[in-house]
Amino acid sequence: MERIKARAIALKKISTPIICEIPYSNNAIGEFEKNFEHNENSKYLLRYPTIYIVNDKVKPDKYSVYVGETNNIKRRTAEHLQDDVREDSFWKKVDKSTNSKMFLIGHDHFNKSLTLDIENRLMHYMTGVDAVELVHNGRSNQQDEYFTSDELDPIFREIWRKLREKNKKLFPLLSVIQDSAIFKASPFHKLTTEQIEAKDTIILKIEEALNRDRTGQLILVKGEAGAGKTVLLSNLFYELTQMSADNSDNSILKGKTQTLLVNHDQQLKVYTQIADKLGIRSHHNLEIVEKPTKFINDHLGKSKVDVVLVDEAHLLWTQGKQSYRGKNQLDDLLKCARVVVAVFDPHQILSREQYWGVDKLNQMTLDAMSDGNCVELHNQLRIAGNSKTVDWIRTLTDDQEIKNIPTDSNYDLEVFKTPQELYERLKQKSLNEDAGISRLLATFDWKYIDKKKPDNSKYWNVTVGDFSMPWNLQLPQTKTEKHRNKGLAWAEQEQTIGEVGSTFTIQGFDLNYAGVIIGPSVKYRNGKIIFDKKCSENTKAKQRRTYEGKKVDASDMLLKNELNVLLTRGVHGLYLYAVDDQLQQKLLAAQKGMLEND
């Protein structure tokens, strides 16, 4: 108990970090050391572990950045500018630049583990900064528990605050960075114990398959929406690129090839941004991040890639479509690679062309499990609510039942009487920088035809009574807005607060607050939620398809999955309105705690 009290007092008394900005050169570091050695804080920058951020202004308000930690900044600078400069293009540019500077950061509580954790977190945040074009380092160094690990958050916040005082472009508000999709999918997220164990298992399985010269090996990563699958895959992808580099000491993975695939345009933008910012993707290897169809068409029947990672593998096609002429994209990927790591959630299959028969789905899982190649994530990392809130959402989506809405001080779950009231609350949240990105979503129950204008309206709209708002990706943008939004996902673009998102733009992404209009295809009858495909405009979900020689109607499953995706987007809040009167009244009664089943 005394030790706990002592730690609490110590946390309250955490001192201010020491930060100096220095031109980046051997001469400048030598001069700084000579002038600073008699300063009362000299030991914290010259003899303690330190963190340094080398930044080179490559364009107006655009930077290349290196984040590192060291016990001897003078020696480390010499290594970068004398040794690394010979083979590393980043350091060659820094050496020749007249704009390169360094922030040297010290603190009286710094130790090796803490500096490695802060280094990792700085890389995480720097990848989400618009002004940063490249984050160079080549490693991920998150630490497990250590004596001062509880000081990480307060010390990091103080470091960022002081850095922001020196350069607001390079160090914007933390809340602004946290809203970016690239930040949320960054490989530098501190993984949970479950994610670390999953990653270690996957790498071990990849090494085993490559070492034994196996081909067509499937490693299945399963987990519900919000379980942290994308962060795990992003971290795994980055680590594999480091292990396969020419200077790697991993004898099995060194020189091996890997590609990350995702069949989702919005998510592809995010992974491409990450790969560009971390220097993983260049004009020599643009195909390292791409869509499955192009990859299959380029590689099927040719030389195999060593490792293929597939995010949102439930979006892979199980029938021919457009330029894909095969029958099952996952089967074809297994023919193109020695190892395929597929992140798969059957509850997020949204379209008939992604439909799997139950037997084949179960067999795929059983085969992976029998080989020890099935990794499952169970923790809910997206929804910040308590277990009762998570259970309420899961009961509604999985069991199609409604219980009384629980009390939760950490999560805002509210049912509104009109869609306009819902939108006004959501818009209010979106204007608050601390509240983060908030967007309106809806089930696909209102017509929308891509690249075609409606006859009697300017836009394809979601309309409920007097409320009307255009579907996503329709509002016009100025040239400036188009330039600013280039590469950004739908939810990150400012004008989209005036649009309604669908599953096809929001799947795979977080919102701080999600407002969902549950359209007429979702009804409440005889004590259960049911799905009425006649009221849906989602042809990809309601139309039958031929599967293994038989006509299949998977609309109930696909519309249920659509609702599941929409209701699991909100990190801090979920706002609801239902068009079906019986469902709306049931939700309002649940909000008042008037249901007998709870």
Side-chain angles (χ1 to χ4, degrees):
M1 181 61 73
E2 290 302 318
R3 187 177 179 183
I4 293 173
K5 286 181 180 178
R7 288 298 299 148
I9 293 169
L11 285 172
K12 287 182 180 179
K13 293 181 177 179
I14 284 177
S15 55
T16 302
I18 304 140
I19 301 178
C20 291
E21 188 175 12
I22 311 163
Y24 196 67
S25 68
N26 281 313
N27 289 339
I29 300 301
E31 192 69 22
F32 169 76
E33 184 181 45
K34 185 171 69 176
N35 294 334
F36 199 71
E37 61 183 352
H38 299 300
N39 187 289
E40 62 179 343
N41 293 318
S42 63
K43 64 179 180 180
Y44 302 127
L45 292 183
L46 302 178
R47 292 185 291 281
Y48 267 46
T50 55
I51 297 163
Y52 60 101
I53 304 171
V54 178
N55 58 96
D56 184 20
K57 198 170 186 179
V58 291
K59 299 175 188 173
D61 295 327
K62 292 291 182 182
Y63 300 84
S64 289
V65 168
Y66 181 95
V67 184
E69 58 80 36
T70 183
N71 290 321
N72 187 321
I73 190 60
K74 188 175 181 180
R75 185 188 67 230
R76 192 71 183 113
T77 300
E79 289 171 351
H80 286 318
L81 296 181
Q82 292 172 25
D83 299 334
D84 297 341
V85 74
R86 295 172 188 161
E87 298 180 357
D88 193 310
S89 60
F90 173 86
W91 292 111
K92 286 179 182 177
K93 290 175 183 176
V94 167
D95 189 38
K96 292 177 181 178
S97 173
T98 57
N99 297 316
S100 57
K101 296 181 180 180
M102 176 179 68
F103 293 103
L104 183 60
I105 305 164
H107 196 280
D108 59 356
H109 286 200
F110 272 1
N111 56 58
K112 186 68 172 179
S113 293
L114 185 56
T115 54
L116 286 170
D117 253 355
I118 292 176
E119 174 196 35
N120 190 74
R121 186 169 291 190
L122 282 167
M123 287 190 287
H124 184 187
Y125 275 82
M126 299 306 279
T127 57
V129 175
D130 283 343
V132 173
E133 286 194 339
L134 177 70
V135 179
H136 190 67
N137 182 285
R139 63 181 185 180
S140 174
N141 268 326
Q142 77 163 62
Q143 301 295 292
D144 208 339
E145 292 297 311
Y146 47 92
F147 178 60
T148 57
S149 58
D150 53 354
E151 296 183 2
L152 172 62
D153 289 343
I155 291 179
F156 176 79
R157 284 194 297 269
E158 274 299 296
I159 288 172
W160 194 270
R161 183 185 65 79
K162 289 207 71 175
L163 288 168
R164 183 166 161 72
E165 289 174 359
K166 296 178 180 292
N167 189 328
K168 287 184 170 58
K169 276 285 184 184
L170 193 53
F171 304 100
L173 288 170
L174 290 175
S175 59
V176 172
I177 300 171
Q178 289 162 355
D179 270 345
S180 70
I182 192 172
F183 174 84
K184 292 173 181 177
S186 169
F188 301 118
H189 270 282
K190 187 159 186 172
L191 302 185
T192 64
T193 300
E194 182 182 54
Q195 288 172 317
I196 291 170
E197 290 174 354
K199 184 180 75 170
D200 290 345
T201 298
I202 294 167
I203 291 174
L204 188 66
K205 288 291 179 181
I206 291 171
E207 289 176 332
E208 181 182 311
L210 296 180
N211 199 35
R212 297 183 180 182
D213 203 26
R214 293 175 178 170
T215 60
Q217 295 292 296
L218 174 63
I219 300 172
L220 205 57
V221 182
K222 300 186 73 177
E224 294 184 343
K229 302 184 297 296
T230 291
V231 166
L232 168 62
L233 194 76
S234 179
N235 188 285
L236 176 66
F237 177 56
Y238 181 70
E239 192 145 326
L240 287 174
T241 62
Q242 306 312 306
M243 289 178 171
S244 62
D246 292 339
N247 60 352
S248 170
D249 57 4
N250 187 307
S251 59
I252 299 174
L253 292 170
K254 184 176 181 178
K256 296 296 188 285
T257 54
Q258 59 273 315
T259 299
L260 192 154
L261 307 175
V262 61
N263 209 15
H264 189 292
D265 290 337
Q266 301 293 314
Q267 196 71 33
L268 185 69
K269 287 181 183 179
V270 175
Y271 279 127
T272 301
Q273 277 186 301
I274 290 173
D276 286 344
K277 280 201 173 189
L278 298 180
I280 297 170
R281 181 177 176 268
S282 68
H283 64 277
H284 297 298
N285 64 344
L286 293 174
E287 71 283 355
I288 199 166
V289 178
E290 61 182 2
K291 295 186 83 170
T293 295
K294 183 179 184 306
F295 177 85
I296 291 168
N297 290 343
D298 289 347
H299 290 86
L300 195 61
K302 301 172 186 176
S303 60
K304 287 181 168 56
V305 170
D306 293 304
V307 184
V308 169
L309 308 178
V310 189
D311 197 11
E312 310 277 357
H314 38 269
L315 301 183
L316 293 173
W317 297 335
T318 58
Q319 66 178 47
K321 181 187 175 186
Q322 297 169 356
S323 59
Y324 174 63
R325 295 290 175 255
K327 294 181 179 179
N328 185 300
Q329 287 188 320
L330 184 55
D331 288 346
D332 284 343
L333 290 176
L334 289 167
K335 296 171 186 173
C336 296
R338 294 185 179 186
V339 184
V340 174
V341 180
V343 171
F344 200 97
D345 178 6
H347 299 300
Q348 293 193 66
I349 294 172
L350 298 175
S351 173
R352 66 183 187 277
E353 63 241 9
Q354 299 152 4
Y355 172 80
W356 290 70
V358 175
D359 290 345
K360 184 157 186 176
L361 203 57
N362 289 341
Q363 191 60 53
M364 179 175 68
T365 302
L366 287 171
D367 288 346
M369 289 177 69
S370 65
D371 294 333
N373 285 356
C374 186
V375 176
E376 293 198 55
L377 298 178
H378 300 95
N379 294 333
Q380 174 53 246
L381 301 179
R382 176 181 294 142
I383 298 171
N386 61 32
S387 59
K388 289 184 178 180
T389 294
V390 174
D391 179 64
W392 187 88
I393 296 171
R394 291 262 62 92
T395 300
L396 190 153
T397 56
D398 297 349
D399 303 332
Q400 296 165 239
E401 296 176 354
I402 298 173
K403 302 195 297 185
N404 284 325
I405 294 176
T407 301
D408 191 339
S409 59
N410 295 318
Y411 196 84
D412 196 4
L413 178 51
E414 189 172 346
V415 183
F416 289 81
K417 292 181 180 178
T418 69
Q420 187 64 44
E421 289 178 21
L422 187 160
Y423 176 64
E424 292 302 328
R425 173 71 67 81
L426 203 69
K427 192 173 181 180
Q428 196 176 34
K429 288 288 187 185
S430 74
L431 295 173
N432 182 350
E433 280 190 336
D434 293 331
I437 291 180
S438 305
R439 291 294 182 266
L440 187 61
L441 313 171
T443 52
F444 205 150
D445 295 345
W446 292 267
K447 198 165 188 176
Y448 175 76
I449 301 175
D450 191 27
K451 297 176 183 175
K452 184 178 179 182
K453 290 286 185 182
D455 295 331
N456 304 316
S457 178
K458 193 174 181 180
Y459 305 114
W460 300 104
N461 291 314
V462 173
T463 303
V464 182
D466 295 333
F467 176 84
S468 188
M469 189 171 288
W471 271 121
N472 41 221
L473 304 173
Q474 293 187 91
L475 290 181
Q477 301 174 49
T478 64
K479 284 186 178 180
T480 302
E481 286 173 330
K482 284 181 179 178
H483 178 73
R484 187 171 63 239
N485 292 333
K486 187 179 180 182
L488 293 181
W490 171 79
E492 292 182 280
Q493 300 176 28
E494 288 182 13
Q495 81 282 357
T496 62
I497 187 60
E499 296 181 332
V500 183
S502 71
T503 50
F504 300 106
T505 46
I506 204 63
Q507 186 172 27
F509 293 93
D510 293 348
L511 294 169
N512 279 3
Y513 293 84
V516 180
I517 297 175
I518 304 175
S521 69
V522 187
K523 293 176 165 57
Y524 190 81
R525 300 290 185 270
N526 302 316
K528 294 281 284 189
I529 288 173
I530 63 167
F531 300 95
D532 183 356
K533 71 175 184 178
K534 295 190 297 294
C535 294
S536 173
E537 291 291 341
N538 187 354
T539 56
K540 291 176 177 289
K542 68 180 185 177
Q543 289 181 351
R544 298 197 301 168
R545 67 160 283 187
T546 301
Y547 183 80
E548 295 184 348
K550 297 179 182 178
K551 285 288 185 181
V552 174
D553 183 350
S555 58
D556 265 15
M557 180 197 80
L558 297 174
L559 293 176
K560 178 179 177 179
N561 288 353
E562 179 181 37
L563 184 65
N564 171 53
V565 167
L566 296 177
L567 297 192
T568 53
R569 296 305 100 190
V571 174
H572 297 296
L574 172 64
Y575 300 148
L576 298 171
Y577 172 82
V579 172
D580 178 69
D581 186 60
Q582 289 189 46
L583 177 55
Q584 173 71 357
Q585 295 309 314
K586 192 72 175 178
L587 289 170
L588 288 169
Q591 182 164 257
K592 295 176 182 176
M594 295 172 61
L595 304 184
E596 297 178 0
N597 61 353
D598 204 35

